[in-house]
Amino acid sequence: CEAVGLLADGGAVTGARILPRGGAEEHHDADLVVDATGRGNRGPTWLAELGYQPPVEDRVDPRTVYVSRDYRRIPGETDWSAFISSPSPAAPYGGVAISAEGDRWMVTLLGIGPDQAPPTDPEGYLAFAGRLPAPELHALLSRAEPLGPPKRMRLPTSVRRRYEHLTRLPEGFLAVADAMCSFNPAYGQGMTVAAVEAMVLRDCLRQGRRDLPRRFFAGAAKVVDVPWDMAVGADLRHPTIVGPRSRRTRFLNGYVTRLHAAAARHPVVGRRFLSVANLMTPPPGLFAPGIVARVLWSGRRGTPQVARPEPMTRVAEPAARVEELAAR
Ligand SMILES: Cc1cc2nc3c(=O)[nH]c(=O)nc-3n(C[C@H](O)[C@H](O)[C@H](O)COP(=O)(O)OP(=O)(O)OC[C@H]3O[C@@H](n4cnc5c(N)ncnc54)[C@H](O)[C@@H]3O)c2cc1C
């Protein structure tokens, strides 16, 4: 079925208009209609059809192109199962290889900003991997058998719909997850945020139906604030990305750049960053005294010289590798 619009009576949404495939439009009554139709949703249009102001949208285009290709994986050929070379403002391109079922490597090369898109022809694709600062991915692609052609995808624009700012909202209608805020997928936040919003909705419903949309959107906005600021802030580190750079964004990006440098010396800093980036620790955790001290101390000692490991071509049985690590 396709949802095609809302039913309303006075100041309340009372149901949805549904179009079954190949059938005629149906009307379904509902106490509560939840727009969970994802990124391309028409919730704002449906509200406008009922005479309501649609929410203001914050939009940031990450200007990122992915080109992905599968390769045959020979078990044991590397002693790593995933490889990531992240983009930075100085080098706005990167690459990822992840071991997948069916003895495959899922490889993605990406570029951020104009003229950075990875090529889709096989020779250009391999050459692009050769530009990455670490050699492992290029070495892998030089020897692995491709299982199909490179495929291109341009990341969609991140959109945050500010339902919480609307002064006039109908009762009986909510929008959740990507229909309310769709993030740059590179940061892997969307499903976690959707799950936390479901908990906000549960808690709101426990307090009754009165003023439900306003209470829900206010609670959900607090959930979205942190991951939105983190994702958009990280995109805005790149000078080619268009968007408002508040003093707070500039301060955070400057701090996070120094924090990344400190993480090269202090694993505890790196772990804390990943914990915050993966929404397991609230952002103030980046400013805990032990973390700030290491960030400042590393800054005073200049740019760290990160030890460059040898390219990892050695084959190691997992058990032997664990013993080797334990012995160190
Ligand atoms: C390339 C990519 C990679 C991602 N990687 C991650 C990740 O690693 N980790 C993470 O947490 N998140 C990731 N995300 C984000 C995550 O996929 C979304 O945040 C999540 O799927 C949102 O869930 P949703 O239910 O709001 O929307 P969706 O999952 O998009 O579901 C919406 C559904 O509604 C249907 N629909 C749309 N319109 C109508 C209509 N009019 N009538 C009826 N049905 C309709 C659609 O067909 C779809 O089935 C990624 C997203 C992308 C694009």
Side-chain angles (χ1 to χ4, degrees):
C1 296
E2 184 189 353
V4 290
L6 302 171
L7 301 171
D9 185 10
V13 167
T14 56
R17 298 193 287 119
I18 304 295
L19 189 62
R21 187 170 295 165
E25 184 174 307
E26 295 172 3
H27 290 185
H28 289 269
D29 294 338
D31 292 330
L32 179 62
V33 175
V34 179
D35 176 5
T37 55
R39 210 172 251 281
N41 81 100
R42 280 174 275 158
T45 311
W46 295 339
L47 282 183
E49 284 168 5
L50 298 179
Y52 289 91
Q53 188 76 26
V56 167
E57 292 181 349
D58 297 344
R59 303 174 78 91
V60 175
D61 180 352
R63 303 181 77 181
T64 300
V65 173
Y66 282 9
V67 180
S68 301
R69 194 177 197 192
D70 281 2
Y71 291 81
R72 190 173 311 287
R73 179 169 58 92
I74 300 165
E77 67 177 322
T78 61
D79 59 359
W80 42 271
S81 57
F83 171 88
I84 301 176
S85 176
S86 291
S88 68
Y93 45 83
V96 178
I98 298 174
S99 60
E101 69 278 9
D103 290 337
R104 285 177 306 133
W105 288 110
M106 282 170 45
V107 175
T108 291
L109 301 180
L110 64 117
I112 299 175
D115 306 323
Q116 295 295 344
T120 50
D121 65 287
E123 294 76 28
Y125 195 71
L126 180 62
F128 188 95
R131 291 170 60 206
L132 300 180
E136 284 83 357
L137 195 51
H138 183 256
L140 178 73
L141 301 198
S142 301
R143 64 172 187 270
E145 176 196 348
L147 297 175
K151 291 181 191 149
R152 187 180 197 274
M153 177 186 169
R154 192 191 192 288
L155 288 192
T157 295
S158 309
V159 181
R160 181 174 184 184
R161 301 192 170 87
R162 295 293 196 153
Y163 281 99
E164 73 277 13
H165 291 169
L166 289 176
T167 48
R168 212 174 134 252
L169 269 170
E171 284 299 317
F173 175 78
L174 301 176
V176 294
D178 276 21
M180 179 166 54
C181 181
S182 52
F183 301 88
N184 177 344
Y187 307 111
Q189 299 163 317
M191 287 187 277
T192 308
V193 171
V196 181
E197 285 173 15
M199 289 157 68
V200 171
L201 179 54
R202 176 198 64 190
D203 294 345
C204 286
L205 284 168
R206 281 184 178 155
Q207 290 161 19
R209 297 287 308 279
R210 207 179 139 79
D211 212 18
L212 179 66
R214 194 163 311 287
R215 286 188 289 120
F216 171 74
F217 285 126
K222 286 191 196 138
V223 172
V224 170
D225 275 345
V226 168
W228 176 261
D229 282 354
M230 281 171 51
V232 161
D235 285 343
L236 291 174
R237 283 194 314 145
H238 297 275
T240 54
I241 306 297
V242 179
R245 288 168 173 80
S246 64
R247 225 192 277 172
R248 186 162 163 263
T249 308
R250 286 200 297 268
F251 165 75
L252 277 176
N253 283 341
Y255 180 73
V256 167
T257 301
R258 293 177 75 169
L259 185 140
H260 283 168
R265 283 207 182 100
H266 304 290
V268 65
V269 175
R271 274 197 297 275
R272 180 63 58 87
F273 174 75
L274 288 177
S275 184
V276 172
N278 290 298
L279 307 178
M280 292 185 288
T281 299
L286 293 181
F287 298 94
I291 301 295
V292 172
R294 287 178 173 88
V295 171
L296 295 180
W297 181 244
S298 293
R300 279 160 52 109
R301 290 162 67 196
T303 308
Q305 295 299 313
V306 182
R308 269 287 296 275
E310 288 297 306
M312 290 182 284
T313 48
R314 183 169 31 88
V315 178
E317 288 301 319
R321 178 97 177 112
V322 169
E323 273 171 19
E324 181 195 325
L325 288 171
R328 279 189 197 166

